[in-house]
Amino acid sequence: MITIGSAPDSWGVWFADDPAQTPADRFLAEVRAAGYDWIELGPYGYLPKDPVALQEALAANGLRVSAGTVFSALHRPDSWDAVWRQVTDVASLTRAVGGQHIVVIPDLYRHHKTGENLESPTLTDEQWSKLTRDTNELGRRILEEYGLRVQFHSHADSHVGYQRDIERFLADTDPRYVNLCLDTGHVAYYGGDSLELIRRYPDRIGYLHLKQVDPEIVKQMEAEDLVFPEAVRRGVMCEPPNGVPDLGAVLDAAGRLDRDLYAIVEQDMYPCEPERPLPIARRTHTYLAGCSGASIHLGTPA
């Protein structure tokens, strides 16, 4: 069974507190209205930090949580303590409301507004070894101390973005503690093939983020060397089925893995008008309900 939910990202939420974003109470009501039963927590602090208050807000909207998110820069010296401080907050809250996973997203090497390189786009062998070694340790400790599983999320403008980076990362990490949050949009952003990743690494697919990219805007990104947030503002992450990859084919391939998975719809839209997300979410829900032969749990629009 593939359980499909949504996330604050699909409502234009990238930060814990930003007046340009959809308020949390509106997000919770609208994600349920669109038909989804499951969500991710999004940036820590966007939804209530208190587990009792969060559980009450979830219950009021008939929602459950699949995962929390942590941002990491484990290739850098002396990065562990800052990452683990995030974990103590996010993993505790995720576990308290019944989540099973922590999605780990690597920090970006480019400034999210100016596009300036903050560090080299390429890691040294020593930095790469530290990244994979410390991610293994992060996964081990999160599993042993919180009972949650780490799913690593490749990302545009990060050191693990291209398919070759993803494959190298999988080769150098321990499947007991670290697996892949296969984000179909970020893979396609750099010309990767999600179906090939599922076929070649079936045992490492631990979680899915479902999104599509607009090939024409990807061409602009390549030609102009756009920073990822500018590509998002231009609409690079587009409403399915208007982009690539074919999400029906992805769900079919994931369904053949013969195990339960969470698949979270993420259409980056920061910033966006508050009226925009709900109609898109409803149309996406309808599309996903009929695009695949896989066994899915999707929920019913309220």
Side-chain angles (χ1 to χ4, degrees):
M1 179 67 68
I2 301 174
T3 298
I4 301 178
S6 194
D9 202 18
S10 293
W11 266 255
V13 175
W14 276 9
F15 304 101
D17 184 19
D18 187 323
Q21 296 177 163
T22 300
D25 56 351
R26 180 171 180 170
F27 159 71
L28 292 172
E30 289 190 353
V31 74
R32 183 64 193 91
Y36 299 102
D37 298 337
W38 291 80
I39 62 167
E40 286 182 0
L41 293 179
Y44 180 72
Y46 173 66
L47 297 177
K49 296 179 182 179
D50 176 74
V52 174
L54 176 57
Q55 188 59 61
E56 289 176 352
L58 293 169
N61 291 280
L63 297 172
R64 299 174 69 184
V65 168
S66 59
T69 302
V70 169
F71 295 87
S72 69
L74 291 173
H75 65 284
R76 297 177 190 154
D78 304 320
S79 57
W80 178 267
D81 289 347
V83 174
W84 192 253
R85 281 194 296 272
Q86 286 186 69
V87 167
T88 58
D89 292 329
V90 175
S92 296
L93 185 60
T94 301
R95 181 178 63 179
V97 293
Q100 299 178 35
H101 302 275
I102 295 293
V103 176
V104 175
I105 299 178
D107 273 1
L108 310 188
Y109 60 76
R110 302 176 82 177
H111 191 281
H112 73 284
K113 289 184 178 179
T114 67
E116 174 190 5
N117 279 4
L118 303 174
E119 56 188 317
S120 171
T122 304
L123 297 181
T124 65
D125 288 343
E126 181 180 0
Q127 288 174 314
W128 182 268
S129 294
K130 185 178 185 304
L131 168 66
T132 54
R133 182 177 64 251
D134 283 10
T135 305
N136 280 336
E137 178 65 6
L138 189 72
R140 183 191 68 79
R141 287 192 59 181
I142 288 175
L143 179 61
E144 293 180 358
E145 298 184 28
Y146 295 96
L148 307 176
R149 297 198 170 273
V150 160
Q151 311 295 342
F152 187 86
H153 183 306
S154 67
H155 202 286
D157 287 353
S158 83
H159 295 103
V160 187
Y162 288 88
Q163 184 159 331
R164 63 177 181 269
D165 305 322
I166 298 169
E167 294 184 1
R168 183 184 179 192
F169 182 85
L170 292 175
D172 292 347
T173 49
D174 190 333
R176 294 177 298 173
Y177 305 125
V178 180
N179 283 298
L180 183 65
C181 171
L182 177 62
D183 186 299
T184 60
H186 282 275
V187 170
Y189 187 83
Y190 285 135
D193 187 334
S194 290
L195 294 178
E196 183 180 10
L197 286 168
I198 295 172
R199 179 181 61 81
R200 293 185 60 188
Y201 305 96
D203 296 334
R204 303 300 300 275
I205 308 300
Y207 198 88
L208 299 173
H209 277 177
L210 301 176
K211 62 177 67 153
Q212 290 187 326
V213 297
D214 182 327
E216 293 305 312
I217 299 177
V218 168
K219 290 179 183 177
Q220 296 175 24
M221 177 274 294
E222 294 170 339
E224 302 176 39
D225 192 28
L226 297 179
V227 66
F228 177 66
E230 174 58 27
V232 168
R233 282 190 287 271
R234 296 191 189 188
V236 70
M237 299 299 178
C238 61
E239 178 181 344
N242 301 325
V244 295
D246 178 348
L247 295 183
V250 169
L251 289 170
D252 286 342
R256 291 191 290 270
L257 296 177
D258 196 30
R259 64 176 180 275
D260 294 340
L261 287 170
Y262 289 103
I264 299 298
V265 177
E266 276 202 331
Q267 183 184 342
D268 297 78
M269 293 194 294
Y270 178 85
C272 73
E273 303 81 5
E275 295 76 23
R276 187 178 175 214
L278 179 56
I280 292 175
R282 284 178 164 150
R283 291 191 297 266
T284 300
H285 187 280
T286 299
Y287 165 72
L288 291 172
C291 74
S292 166
S295 295
I296 63 172
H297 170 80
L298 191 55
T300 304

